[in-house]
Amino acid sequence: MVLCLCFSNFFFFFFCSMEYQVIPVKRFDEVIEHLRQNFFADEPLNKAVNLCKRGEGHKYLEEHSLKTLEANLSVMAVSDANEIAGVVLNGILRPGDLQAAKKKLQTKDDEKYRKIFQLLYDHNLQTDIFEYFKIDKAFDMSILSVDEKFRGKGIAKHLVENSESLAKKHGFKLLKADATGVFSQKIFKSAGFEVLHEQYYNKYVDNDNEIILPVESPHIKLQLLYKRLD
Ligand SMILES: *[C@@H]1O[C@H](CO)[C@@H](O)[C@H](O)[C@H]1NC(C)=O
């Protein structure tokens, strides 16, 4: 009986001990490698245009990720073997940032990348969140990624909760996230986020009525979600 208990405690510890930390500069390279192995290949919009193969790097996605990491507001889940099990990359969004980013997008020589970010920027620009929520900055949760090996353990949910605490600590009044797939949409909703607007992928078409981003099921729409903090 006692032995049994010890065993189950041991396994509980073994499988459930995950530490959540703000990502330090010295682990940025490891985070990029994690994204190459997971998010870059798995994210529904990347997948729809075949942006990169698993393990492959991507110049613009990596630039974008590093720039976000440099705000020092991103959070990682670290296993007891010190592996990165999951990350959420959080940045600061200020008035005019999206307009500037959209303009800069035209200079990027990668049509697939431009297609993805054109949708994301245009979708975000439908509402001036700074005016709408009376804020001067938003905590922007731009990438949520969990290693395949560690999925189904509630890590994404904990990453979002830890980010919320961090945002509060830094005085943010609004969390925002663009969720491109059903899994992240479910997680943000269960964390108390609300949908500001959404775009069905099969209604996002060009002049010839062709679907621009043929996203695979079960993902059907892009959602812009937010959560007010006070
Ligand atoms: C992030 O942390 C690094 C290392 O501590 C520091 O050099 C850098 O200035 C910080 N960046 C911001 C935006 O605070």
Side-chain angles (χ1 to χ4, degrees):
M1 225 22 215
V2 172
L3 187 74
C4 229
L5 251 175
C6 281
F7 246 75
S8 67
N9 277 344
F10 172 74
F11 281 111
F12 183 82
F13 177 76
F14 187 77
F15 288 114
C16 301
S17 77
M18 200 59 76
E19 255 196 64
Y20 295 84
Q21 306 164 3
V22 173
I23 302 175
V25 176
K26 63 172 193 278
R27 297 196 79 162
F28 284 3
D29 287 347
E30 244 180 292
V31 170
I32 297 294
E33 184 52 31
H34 159 89
L35 294 174
R36 285 182 193 137
Q37 296 298 338
N38 298 280
F39 184 87
F40 289 180
D42 294 336
E43 189 280 324
L45 298 181
N46 294 353
K47 226 169 150 176
V49 298
N50 224 331
L51 192 67
C52 29
K53 294 191 185 73
R54 193 171 306 282
E56 216 173 65
H58 190 281
K59 183 170 74 167
Y60 298 134
L61 275 182
E62 289 175 24
E63 269 177 23
H64 175 76
S65 305
L66 272 173
K67 198 168 158 266
T68 308
L69 283 165
E70 281 163 6
N72 298 332
L73 294 171
S74 299
V75 178
M76 62 181 176
V78 181
S79 75
D80 44 9
N82 203 24
E83 296 165 282
I84 294 181
V87 296
V88 58
L89 268 51
N90 303 314
I92 306 172
L93 194 67
R94 293 198 169 86
D97 284 354
L98 284 166
Q99 289 85 346
K102 190 182 164 184
K103 217 165 155 188
K104 208 169 156 201
L105 185 62
Q106 309 316 320
T107 67
K108 310 253 191 240
D109 58 353
D110 183 331
E111 199 199 337
K112 294 173 172 179
Y113 180 88
R114 284 202 309 269
K115 271 189 190 173
I116 294 169
F117 279 84
Q118 187 79 42
L119 168 61
L120 291 172
Y121 293 151
D122 285 342
H123 192 242
N124 272 276
L125 285 165
Q126 283 179 30
T127 306
D128 181 346
I129 59 166
F130 305 103
E131 180 62 35
Y132 188 80
F133 293 106
K134 307 288 174 218
I135 50 167
D136 57 9
K137 58 175 185 173
F139 189 88
D140 186 9
M141 306 173 71
S142 66
I143 290 181
L144 176 61
S145 170
V146 175
D147 192 310
E148 208 165 14
K149 213 167 80 182
F150 295 97
R151 286 184 198 158
K153 300 183 195 306
I155 290 173
K157 185 164 179 271
H158 284 115
L159 284 167
V160 171
E161 287 168 358
N162 276 272
S163 297
E164 181 173 336
S165 309
L166 188 65
K168 277 184 184 155
K169 211 173 90 184
H170 285 266
F172 287 86
K173 297 281 178 246
L174 190 84
L175 306 176
K176 73 151 282 263
D178 302 296
T180 58
V182 289
F183 306 118
S184 54
Q185 286 161 6
K186 211 173 123 192
I187 285 155
F188 285 116
K189 246 164 266 169
S190 80
F193 282 64
E194 290 174 58
V195 178
L196 188 60
H197 35 78
E198 54 187 25
Q199 170 71 55
Y200 281 84
Y201 296 126
N202 65 3
K203 301 250 170 65
Y204 187 62
V205 295
D206 63 17
N207 293 334
D208 301 322
N209 228 16
E210 294 280 339
I211 293 171
I212 298 171
L213 291 156
V215 178
E216 277 173 34
S217 108
H219 313 294
I220 53 167
K221 59 192 173 186
L222 165 67
Q223 288 187 325
L224 170 56
L225 298 126
Y226 69 91
K227 184 174 182 177
R228 282 190 169 100
L229 304 175
D230 33 38

